[in-house]
């Protein structure tokens, strides 16, 4: 029996979603205590500090904003990345990811004199675009921490249930 391309992608998507969701399930099972409320809602990050998690949520929402379809914040990309960093990613790669987040705030301070979270939506978009353009131009270092953050946001969103249902219609 042969599968159509659509059926193969659909089945592969579910397999990948199961693998990526394992971290979320493990986090849910181990974190069944009393939820705490923060600016992140009823979620406490495991690998990131609350400030880093807020930065990641806003950065992801800037990279993939909500339009007529759900954005990265709707897909809870920041939570999935936190689970991935906590449960799967090696310490050196986690440090590189955190350095990428620090780069965003450092560049924000340099260009606008304030942290990324304090910027207007337009300034956030301009900053992310300039950093993404610079990362594309610089082919000398494939381990650029900002590239890692940017690519992880894109990958996590594209493999999220929200994107599969609303964007890719899988």
């Amino acid at each position: 029996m042969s599968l159509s391309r659509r059926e193969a992608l659909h089945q592969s998507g579910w397999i990948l979603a199961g693998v990526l969701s394992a971290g979320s399930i493990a986090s849910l099972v181990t974190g069944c205590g009393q939820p705490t409320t923060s600016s992140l809602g009823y979620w406490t990050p495991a690998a990131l500090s609350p400030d880093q998690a807020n930065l990641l949520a806003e950065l992801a929402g800037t990279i993939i904003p909500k339009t007529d379809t759900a954005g990265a914040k709707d897909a809870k990309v920041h939570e999935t990345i936190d689970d991935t960093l906590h449960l799967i990613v090696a310490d050196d790669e986690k440090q590189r990811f955190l350095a990428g987040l620090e780069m965003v705030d450092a560049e924000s301070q340099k260009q606008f004199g304030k942290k990324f979270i304090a910027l207007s939506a337009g300034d956030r978009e301009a900053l992310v675009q300039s950093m993404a353009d610079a990362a594309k131009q610089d082919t000398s270092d494939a381990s650029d921490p900002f590239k890692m953050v940017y690519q992880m946001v894109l990958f996590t969103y594209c493999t999220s249930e929200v994107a599969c249902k609303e964007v890719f219609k899988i």
Side-chain angles (χ1 to χ4, degrees), residues 100-111:
L101 288 180
E102 289 174 16
M103 284 177 69
V104 173
D105 259 345
E107 191 62 27
S108 180
Q109 288 284 356
K110 180 179 167 187
Q111 289 188 28

Side-chain angles (χ1 to χ4, degrees), residues 62 116 118-127:
T62 302
F116 184 81
L119 298 178
S120 68
D123 287 346
R124 286 179 185 181
E125 290 169 16
L127 178 68

Side-chain angles (χ1 to χ4, degrees), residues 17 19-25 27 40 43-49 51-64 71-91 93-101 104 145-161:
V19 170
L20 292 175
S21 295
S24 297
I25 291 168
S27 178
L40 298 167
W43 170 70
T44 302
L48 303 171
S49 72
D51 286 344
Q52 291 167 330
N54 279 322
L55 172 58
L56 178 58
E58 295 306 318
L59 178 60
T62 302
I63 294 170
I64 306 172
K73 285 175 78 174
D74 300 312
K76 299 185 181 197
V77 163
H78 57 290
E79 293 182 23
T80 303
I81 290 174
D82 179 71
D83 285 341
T84 303
L85 292 172
H86 178 65
L87 297 169
I88 299 170
V89 175
D91 285 341
E93 291 297 306
K94 178 182 169 188
Q95 292 310 312
R96 189 164 64 100
F97 183 89
L98 296 177
L101 288 180
V104 173
F146 177 74
K147 281 183 187 177
M148 180 187 193
V149 172
Y150 193 89
Q151 291 172 345
M152 201 166 193
V153 166
L154 293 176
F155 178 80
T156 303
Y157 178 77
C158 289
T159 57
S160 70
E161 181 179 1

